[in-house]
Amino acid sequence: MAPLPRVGDELQQAAEHGRVCALAAHGQRDLQRCLTAHPDLFAEGPFDGALTSSIALAIAFSAPWCEAVELRLTNRAVLWGFALDWQVDRLATSAVELDRLVQRQLSVTDGASAATDDPLGRFLAGLHADLVAVPAFATLGGAWRAAARRTLHAMRQEWQWKTAMRDGLQPPPTLADYLNNADNLACTVVNVVHWIRTGGADTQARLDRLVIASDAVQRALRLVNDLSTHERDLRWGDLNAIMLVDDRAVVEQVLKRLVTDVTDLLDELRADCPREAAYLTRQLGYTTGFYRSTDFWGVS
């Protein structure tokens, strides 16, 4: 049996955990205010206190060196991603309806006002207004719009795949094609928001490399998610990587390779971007641990 840590070390470690959880508590309270302010968007069932707590904890443990005010936009970007995912996967009933949803969100990212009957767009418009107020947005706003565009198109692509499969119109995509569409996880678009809000003067010069690394983490997390939510996806009729292969072990092996590759990539990034590399590393580690026991969605 390993020796127990000294009392002083335990106190220091517990105090640090407490500080990070307090950071998350600030984030959760802000997200709860978002839910209250947008009741027509955030239904009580899926959007509950456990979801906002899980979001805030994930971001706090990914960037524990930040202050609560620095993580507010990151948390809200995650919440927008969940709301978008819910509208696409659970509420959209036709390709026409989905195309309209995507186009409305794209217009808002370009600075247009949200329609009065578009609660998702109104929430995104608030996020956009807060981002515009960040000085770095003047030079990095294009990167956020590009990331949002990729996320929106990727979610539409997955909807088209699963609908065509359901109706017997086409075979499932390959696992490679599915991973190339990993922007439907809405991970990189959140990370770009985070770097716009918290990055330094040299963020612009490094953002292309950060996005490449984020995309690698995003692909790994796509499989981490799918391995943990396969049963739920079967019930919901959602697409999942395990449905695309003959054996679950194939997905597990691909994930193992992706994690090895992304670890090497993050080790290289650490020399020039230590904080950003640490953020992505902690994001991958925290989410992997989280999905071993539970899921963000609180509905069956």
Side-chain angles (χ1 to χ4, degrees):
M1 178 181 295
L4 293 173
R6 296 179 302 172
V7 171
D9 293 337
E10 279 194 312
L11 284 172
Q12 184 176 4
Q13 185 180 55
E16 175 60 14
H17 291 333
R19 186 192 65 80
V20 177
C21 288
L23 188 64
H26 284 291
Q28 182 185 7
R29 290 184 180 116
D30 179 71
L31 292 177
Q32 286 296 139
R33 288 191 288 269
C34 291
L35 266 57
T36 301
H38 298 271
D40 50 351
L41 175 61
F42 299 116
E44 289 184 4
F47 296 97
D48 58 6
L51 176 64
T52 56
S53 174
S54 297
I55 291 171
L57 281 166
I59 297 305
F61 274 94
S62 294
W65 47 80
C66 288
E67 299 295 332
V69 67
E70 295 179 289
L71 297 182
R72 186 173 66 87
L73 290 185
T74 311
N75 286 325
R76 290 187 175 195
V78 177
L79 186 59
W80 173 76
F82 273 99
L84 172 64
D85 183 60
W86 185 259
Q87 297 240 338
V88 172
D89 280 351
R90 308 296 293 165
L91 301 183
T93 59
S94 69
V96 172
E97 182 181 347
L98 180 59
D99 286 345
R100 184 169 179 244
L101 183 154
V102 169
Q103 289 304 316
R104 282 182 161 187
Q105 301 305 296
L106 289 172
S107 295
V108 173
T109 63
D110 287 333
S113 298
T116 56
D117 62 344
D118 180 15
L120 182 63
R122 293 201 306 274
F123 184 74
L124 179 60
L127 177 64
H128 178 265
D130 289 339
L131 272 172
V132 169
V134 178
F137 189 83
T139 54
L140 300 179
W144 174 71
R145 286 189 291 270
R149 190 176 304 114
R150 287 199 297 159
T151 294
L152 288 158
H153 289 319
M155 287 196 181
R156 177 166 56 186
Q157 176 64 80
E158 183 178 7
W159 187 93
Q160 291 170 341
W161 277 336
K162 73 176 186 179
T163 302
M165 290 167 58
R166 180 198 65 199
D167 297 340
L169 299 178
Q170 70 178 50
T174 65
L175 182 57
D177 287 340
Y178 180 76
L179 283 174
N180 285 336
N181 198 54
D183 278 297
N184 69 338
L185 196 63
C187 176
T188 291
V189 67
V190 169
N191 293 340
V192 171
V193 168
H194 179 73
W195 290 320
I196 289 174
R197 177 61 183 85
T198 66
D202 54 352
T203 299
Q204 181 179 6
R206 301 182 300 182
L207 193 60
D208 287 347
R209 291 179 63 200
L210 296 180
V211 168
I212 290 171
S214 176
D215 285 348
V217 170
Q218 183 173 245
R219 286 188 292 273
L221 289 179
R222 176 71 276 172
L223 297 188
V224 167
N225 176 288
D226 285 6
L227 286 166
S228 300
T229 61
H230 181 220
E231 295 299 323
R232 188 203 68 196
D233 289 339
L234 287 173
R235 293 193 303 272
W236 284 11
D238 285 344
L239 199 57
N240 184 294
I242 298 174
M243 303 172 188
L244 310 180
V245 296
D246 295 328
D247 190 339
R248 176 188 179 98
V250 173
V251 177
E252 293 171 343
Q253 285 299 114
V254 172
L255 174 58
K256 184 177 180 181
R257 175 177 56 79
L258 289 177
V259 170
T260 298
D261 292 345
V262 78
T263 299
D264 292 340
L265 182 60
L266 291 173
D267 280 341
E268 295 175 6
L269 187 67
R270 195 175 300 274
D272 299 323
C273 312
R275 179 162 291 187
E276 291 83 355
Y279 168 78
L280 290 172
T281 301
R282 294 176 67 90
Q283 183 179 80
L284 177 60
Y286 180 91
T287 309
T288 299
F290 181 88
Y291 273 117
R292 286 174 183 162
S293 300
T294 190
D295 183 13
F296 283 90
W297 289 121
V299 290
S300 60

